[in-house]
Amino acid sequence: MGSVLKMQFVALVCLVLLNINTCNGVTPSLEPPQGNSLKLKSRTYEGKYVYQCKNGTWVPVSASAMLVNISDSKISLGNYSFEYSAAEPKLVGTWYLRNDDADAAESGSVTSIVAGNEIASRAGSDSGSIKQVIAEASFHKSFGTAYRVSYIQRLNTKGGLPPLNKSKYCSENSPVIVPFEAEFWFYTQDTIPPLAPATIAVPASDRAVVEGFFCEGIIDYSYDGSQWQRKNMHGKLYLVPGGDEVGSFHMSDKPDGHGGRFYLETYNPNGWQVVGKIISHPVKVEDDSIPWSLFKITSSSGNVSLVGPFSYYTMVGTRGGVPPVPSNVTKKGASWAGVFSCQFWTYKPCSPPFC
Ligand SMILES: *[C@@H]1O[C@H](CO)[C@@H](O)[C@H](O)[C@H]1NC(C)=O
Ligand SMILES: *[C@@H]1O[C@H](CO)[C@@H](O)[C@H](O)[C@H]1NC(C)=O
Ligand SMILES: *[C@@H]1O[C@H](CO)[C@@H](O)[C@H](O)[C@H]1NC(C)=O
Ligand SMILES: *[C@@H]1O[C@H](CO)[C@@H](O)[C@H](O)[C@H]1NC(C)=O
Ligand SMILES: *[C@@H]1O[C@H](CO)[C@@H](O)[C@H](O)[C@H]1NC(C)=O
Ligand SMILES: *[C@@H]1O[C@H](CO)[C@@H](O)[C@H](O)[C@H]1NC(C)=O
């Protein structure tokens, strides 16, 4: 319901303000995909950005800040740091978060760590401020609070930009330190699937959730002269964003004996493979993301009996992967690869009260 309203709102804004064809990407969403929930809000304290002059331009080389509870600055939550890395140009930073006593006892560490890469950004809260960003987790260390984090938003930024007078002050040998403030909001991946539109809901007799996975993948499209046709889809399965890689998925040209073409598989030990076919029309839930789909499992192999038998799986909580609106210069036969992320959820039959 919320998403439908949001889509209508976005569409309305696009119609009113802009040419609708150029609307995607104009105001990128800083919201994490559905299937993630806000767990912790923090605010920076003693934040600083360090810029170095390179070839006449200020470039950020590092940043750091302490993190406190957003509503009680006496409660320390950890810290934030950023170190520029050519190997990871989209790195937003690394967050150390204090563990609660139970997690500290279990992991043997008083802090846990998450690092994340930028997936979308928007201008700062005012013209003198660093941009607002959403980062997807790319790395975790030590069990605890940060270990479960899937997305991090940097919001309500203040300051942190390099001096404007670059020609006057930009000198290779003297870095500048600029104070900044921001809020960092931390999200974790849900342990239950997001609510799907009714037409792609799993049948009531098969609603026992077995497992959920985070996915990252690529969809290949080819332009047939009037629209983009999906040619292939493949990628990897992870427990959570930035977590362990546990499997893969792909679309096959040749169906199994029962019309299934979409393969989902986990690695050994105890690996299994299921093949599914899309059984009702996929539904576009977010305007700028590929549709959500319901798959009926047509065949399976491997150690399915340990967790299954599976009967359905869903691809939900999608982000990205939508091809550009074709223009008069898009040629028949043109190809386009869309990067996307999603969640896959597997289901098995159940009877009340277990579903
Ligand atoms: C330095 O800047 C000049 C002019 O902006 C540019 O032509 C040159 O390629 C830059 N050099 C490097 C190493 O980035
Ligand atoms: C943050 O502070 C509020 C108000 O004191 C408190 O209710 C909340 O539990 C604190 N959260 C954390 C994570 O410390
Ligand atoms: C952040 O906290 C960790 C663990 O307490 C510490 O090792 C690290 O030096 C701190 N980083 C900054 C930038 O304060
Ligand atoms: C830039 O330099 C000029 C001349 O030195 C000075 O008047 C101005 O205030 C400076 N602007 C900023 C933003 O520092
Ligand atoms: C089932 O799991 C075991 C390890 O637990 C593995 O050695 C075996 O190859 C698996 N069987 C299949 C068919 O994947
Ligand atoms: C494509 O359309 C634009 C206007 O939408 C027009 O200006 C341009 O000439 C067209 N190009 C071709 C190759 O038809």
Side-chain angles (χ1 to χ4, degrees):
M1 181 67 105
S3 320
V4 173
L5 285 176
K6 197 163 115 194
M7 272 168 66
Q8 285 171 348
F9 175 74
V10 170
L12 190 66
V13 170
C14 294
L15 279 172
V16 171
L17 296 178
L18 306 149
N19 174 340
I20 193 154
N21 289 348
T22 58
C23 202
N24 282 352
V26 170
T27 45
S29 170
L30 295 189
E31 288 303 311
Q34 288 192 48
N36 294 275
S37 300
L38 180 60
K39 275 292 135 64
L40 180 66
K41 286 184 178 186
S42 72
R43 191 150 54 80
T44 59
Y45 169 71
E46 293 185 345
K48 46 183 191 273
Y49 248 88
V50 180
Y51 290 89
Q52 188 95 45
C53 189
K54 294 216 170 110
N55 196 17
T57 311
W58 291 111
V59 293
V61 287
S62 66
S64 64
M66 299 291 125
L67 299 179
V68 292
N69 183 322
I70 198 159
S71 46
D72 183 348
S73 60
K74 289 192 292 295
I75 302 176
S76 163
L77 296 179
N79 67 39
Y80 164 71
S81 58
F82 162 78
E83 206 77 55
Y84 176 76
S85 149
E88 283 181 283
K90 285 181 170 282
L91 186 71
V92 172
T94 303
W95 294 264
Y96 283 74
L97 296 179
R98 191 176 294 273
N99 286 337
D100 63 26
D101 292 345
D103 284 345
E106 189 177 340
S107 72
S109 174
V110 291
T111 53
S112 47
I113 304 171
V114 57
N117 289 321
E118 176 179 322
I119 53 171
S121 69
R122 191 187 291 169
S125 308
D126 59 52
S127 62
S129 303
I130 50 173
K131 62 189 180 180
Q132 303 181 88
V133 169
I134 178 163
E136 185 183 280
S138 58
F139 170 82
H140 293 105
K141 193 173 169 199
S142 300
F143 183 77
T145 311
Y147 197 76
R148 306 183 186 103
V149 169
S150 51
Y151 292 86
I152 307 108
Q153 292 168 320
R154 180 173 80 186
L155 303 172
N156 299 325
T157 52
K158 275 205 196 97
L161 287 181
L164 289 173
N165 280 353
K166 59 179 180 190
S167 51
K168 188 161 181 239
Y169 297 110
C170 194
S171 114
E172 302 280 334
N173 303 321
S174 43
V176 293
I177 297 173
V178 188
F180 83 97
E181 287 173 28
E183 289 172 12
F184 286 113
W185 294 17
F186 299 92
Y187 291 77
T188 58
Q189 184 168 289
D190 297 342
T191 52
I192 54 166
L195 195 62
T199 57
I200 53 161
V202 174
S205 57
D206 296 76
R207 244 172 238 173
V209 174
V210 184
E211 276 177 292
F213 302 97
F214 173 69
C215 99
E216 272 182 345
I218 292 173
I219 301 190
D220 296 314
Y221 298 90
S222 171
Y223 190 62
D224 69 2
S226 63
Q227 56 185 326
W228 293 104
Q229 298 288 354
R230 178 170 62 186
K231 288 291 163 201
N232 203 346
M233 179 172 96
H234 55 95
K236 301 269 167 67
L237 304 180
Y238 303 85
L239 290 179
V240 293
D244 291 339
E245 182 186 325
V246 293
S248 67
F249 64 96
H250 70 275
M251 186 174 146
S252 168
D253 290 341
K254 292 195 191 72
D256 66 356
H258 315 277
R261 293 175 60 201
F262 294 89
Y263 287 71
L264 200 62
E265 55 192 88
T266 61
Y267 305 139
N268 274 326
N270 307 326
W272 46 257
Q273 181 186 72
V274 295
V275 190
K277 67 174 178 192
I278 294 181
I279 54 160
S280 51
H281 197 66
V283 179
K284 210 159 187 200
V285 173
E286 305 285 349
D287 216 22
D288 56 359
S289 299
I290 55 169
W292 296 14
S293 301
L294 171 64
F295 300 84
K296 181 163 174 51
I297 290 170
T298 51
S299 58
S300 59
S301 56
N303 288 311
V304 177
S305 54
L306 293 178
V307 277
F310 299 113
S311 47
Y312 290 86
Y313 72 87
T314 58
M315 183 171 133
V316 295
T318 55
R319 188 179 207 287
V322 175
V325 174
S327 75
N328 54 2
V329 294
T330 311
K331 291 202 176 66
K332 189 173 170 178
S335 59
W336 194 80
V339 175
F340 73 101
S341 70
C342 74
Q343 289 181 359
F344 283 110
W345 289 88
T346 57
Y347 293 82
K348 65 180 176 180
C350 54
S351 44
F354 303 108
C355 51

